[in-house]
Amino acid sequence: MLICTALAMLAAGQPLVGLALLPAALPVIGLMPWTGWLTVEELDLAVLAVAAGGYARLALRPPPAATAAGATAMKGLLLFSFAVALIVSMARGFADAGGLNWGWWQGYHEPMNSVRVAKSFFLAILLVPLWRTQLRATPDRAERWLGTGLAGGLLMVAIPALWERWAHTGLANFSSDYRTTALFWEMHVGGAAFDGFLALTMPFAVRELLRQVEPWRWALAAAAVVLGAYACLTTFSRGVYLAVPVGLVAMAGLQALSSRRIGTRAGAPVTGQAGGVAAVVICAAFIAGAITIFPTSGYRGMLALFGAVVLLLPMAVWLQRTPARGWAVGVAGGLSLSLLLALVAYALPKGPYLVYALAWAATAAALLSQRWPSPALLVPWWGALILTAWLALLASMLLVATHWGGEPALSPMAVVVLLLLAFAVVSGRGTKPRWPQSLRWQGGVAGAMVVLTIMVGVMLGGAYMGDRFTTGGRDLDDRLQHWAQGLSLLNDQMAWAFGKGTGRYPANHFLSGKPEDQVGDYRLREEGGARHLVLTAGKHLIDWAQLLRVSQRVGPFTGPVTMKVDARSDVAVTLHFEICRKHLLYDDGDCAIASVPVKAQAGLWQSLVVQLPGKGLSGGDFFAPHFLTFSVAVKESGRSVELDNLRAIDASGRELLVNGDFEGGMARWFFSSDRHHMPWHMKNMLLHVLFEQGWVGLVLFCGLVLSALWRVSWGNARDHTLSPAIGAAVLGFLVVGLFDSLLDAPRVAFLFYLLLMIALTLPAQTALPRGRASAPP
């Protein structure tokens, strides 16, 4: 309540800050694994709070008439028609579920799931007038805050992704089949919520990186891009690998066309064509070298190459100022220093790494001293000193390679070192700099090389991504069969025209699909004024990864843990209990596990006790903590059991579970299907809309998307500074949506609809505001 009140007050006092805070906070405001909230969630409260504050401000301080001008009748009619179609689809969803029956704790098979899926559009449309008012009243500030908010969203999703990898796999482990989910709990039954959010926000982070003048804002944008790239790569999603480049290429094209039409504004941080070509050449040479040495020198060799190239960027201008005699002195000094460092490397444990660090620090110190030159340092021989240290750095790269990979690593690294030396000689010739000497440009190239380093690690450092590419054809066949099966559930003309209803795919698949595709379910049941849980296993083949788990986050504990539960069943079943270090879908193998049989005793409750062995589990490192998750599941296919009074007591006597009697409904509980995901999603965004809303809804949805894309690419908003990034975000989202539903994840759907509506209502911009900078990507 305090947070919502603060949001409302912030939106009333500083509307742009409040509005921008929403997309930035989206990745971290979903707390369903802790609250159990499914239909109504933190997203709804945050949007309503910002809307309340924003509209209160408008009521007290109405904007001038010009700023409140409405959108064209055609766009308004399109939005209104889609809203009506969505309401009709929601009503059909209620009917398909047996009628509207309010329940706070309903799941995916119950009527309130129609509200959960449909609400995102209406939440977005609630905020569009506020954004539009700000974009017309203070365009510069509004554009800046919208871009900052979306780039901040990428940073806020990338940091949890980095923490997740660090805690569960290690940052450089690309061989396991662990796929990052960050804090998108919507992926508890699979899906691509994380992927869609990355596709929506990456173009805005790149836009901010290229436009920011203030060093601290540029640094934040650079961090968002680099960490976001790591997050993209660790999704191991072929859709993301395609969507993000497609979006960025589209943004570059749209920006280039706009710049050609209207010119570049004064004061823009433009690197120029030469700088762009140099950046491409350097990055291409770097990735070629990284691919050459990685198989034998590993990450250490690749990082050594990265460090040498980073120093070459500012070093080239000093090499040009160095006379021939200085080059001779530098080469002689470099060879002598290399021999000395080689002796040190072999004399000390891990000496090659220490020698490399010393040579790198010496080169960097010499270069940094020239950023604040004094007359004493501006001598022709200073370039010779820099060259001496850098050549010693190249020699230490050979030492690092042989220390890690042995003799087979020497030849590839020697080839790369010679090419790097030749590159330095070429860049040091002439009097005109080969590339820009600004820290901004050099930092951008270094960031691009970081992303390329991660790419090489993902592609060559583990077998998992390679396996995913080799199974692409088989996976496509599976998707085609899945889509055909889903469309076969549209079994009458009304369903084809208006759909089955929002949120109704999982229930229809459950009721009408093949028995082996029927997933498990859970329901709350009231009896004698008390509540208990009914847990049913799916009819498909069940193993560790296929269990439908009902779970709760718990704190660190000491083992063993004593489980107590009251159970009732008409058939004999086996209950599975576990407490694992587990983020969402994947545990790291550190679990306390036990099973207990439940006898077939119709109508009779049984009190069961079982012990989960082990010494307990900690929460991990303070900088990368683990989630500890308790779960219960039914092990036999298709069988059901009723549960009440769940208790987990650790060796110290502490109770680990909250609301184990379910008198608080499903508060603190959530469910997951770790690997069995297809029955929960249509797995294609357009087919998802067709299934839920029929041809009527699909035509209107396509009309919205195409109108938005047209307006920011060829329409009257094509020259707005936000248009290229919005077009890239929408296009990237559609690419991810080729193989995932996306719109059944409310937070991601909300952001997508919001960008669509901003694109439709974006003010046309034919003249450029003074004093603003623009740079083509």
Side-chain angles (χ1 to χ4, degrees), residues 94 97-104 106 110-112:
F94 296 153
L100 177 58
N101 176 27
W102 168 261
W104 188 270
Q106 290 183 14
E110 296 167 277
M112 288 303 294

Side-chain angles (χ1 to χ4, degrees), residues 277-296:
V277 172
V280 171
V281 171
I282 292 170
C283 289
F286 172 77
I287 196 170
I291 292 173
T292 301
I293 64 177
F294 185 79
T296 53

Side-chain angles (χ1 to χ4, degrees), residues 17-36:
V17 180
L19 288 168
L21 190 60
L22 270 179
L26 275 181
V28 296
I29 62 173
L31 303 179
M32 189 266 200
W34 291 270
T35 63

Side-chain angles (χ1 to χ4, degrees), residues 487-498:
L487 292 178
S488 70
L489 302 178
L490 299 175
N491 48 16
D492 57 52
Q493 292 184 352
M494 288 294 290
W496 279 102
F498 299 103

